[in-house]
């Protein structure tokens, strides 16, 4: 909404024939993408027992999936970025592996190593 109002004000200034300087149209300070999986949401999900339906009911649809000969991997990717403090950015993936019958064989949380 703020960006729309800025664009309207900029357009109005130009149509009046005056000079106008737009100092900045800023992006949000914080941005999140993906699905954040909390530890308490993973409670009760068990390897060699839980199914794709149980995971979907608890977490929703994964952000991406990968098929393999042994089954399927579901990725719940999450990123939280701070424009003014990039050292506080976080990124992680929670990965669930399922066999061909849809039973979870393993799961893990992966956080990238900082460069």
């Amino acid at each position: 909404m703020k960006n729309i109002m800025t664009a309207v004000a900029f357009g109005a200034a130009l149509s009046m024939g005056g000079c106008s300087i737009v100092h900045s149209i800023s992006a949000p300070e914080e941005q999140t993408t993906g699905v954040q999986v909390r530890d308490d949401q993973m409670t009760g999900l068990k390897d060699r027992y839980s199914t794709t339906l149980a995971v979907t009911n608890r977490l929703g649809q994964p952000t991406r999936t990968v098929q393999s000969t042994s089954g399927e991997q579901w990725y719940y990717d999450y990123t939280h970025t701070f424009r003014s403090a990039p050292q506080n950015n976080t990124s992680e993936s929670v990965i669930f592996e399922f066999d061909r019958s849809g039973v979870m064989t393993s799961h893990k949380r992966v956080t990238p190593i900082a460069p």
Side-chain angles (χ1 to χ4, degrees), residues 32-50:
T32 57
T33 59
V35 178
Q36 183 177 26
V37 178
R38 299 181 319 270
D39 288 337
D40 65 304
Q41 291 175 298
M42 291 177 49
T43 302
L45 296 175
K46 307 245 185 275
D47 294 349
R48 295 178 296 287
Y49 178 78
S50 297

Side-chain angles (χ1 to χ4, degrees), residues 66-102:
V66 175
Q67 301 288 326
S68 70
T69 57
S70 60
E72 190 171 36
Q73 292 179 331
W74 286 12
Y75 290 81
Y76 289 85
D77 301 316
Y78 174 75
T79 304
H80 189 148
T81 56
F82 298 87
R83 195 169 58 120
S84 63
Q87 70 276 12
N88 294 332
N89 292 350
T90 58
S91 179
E92 67 180 18
S93 294
V94 176
I95 305 166
F96 295 92
E97 294 188 19
F98 300 95
D99 64 18
R100 283 188 254 167
S101 62

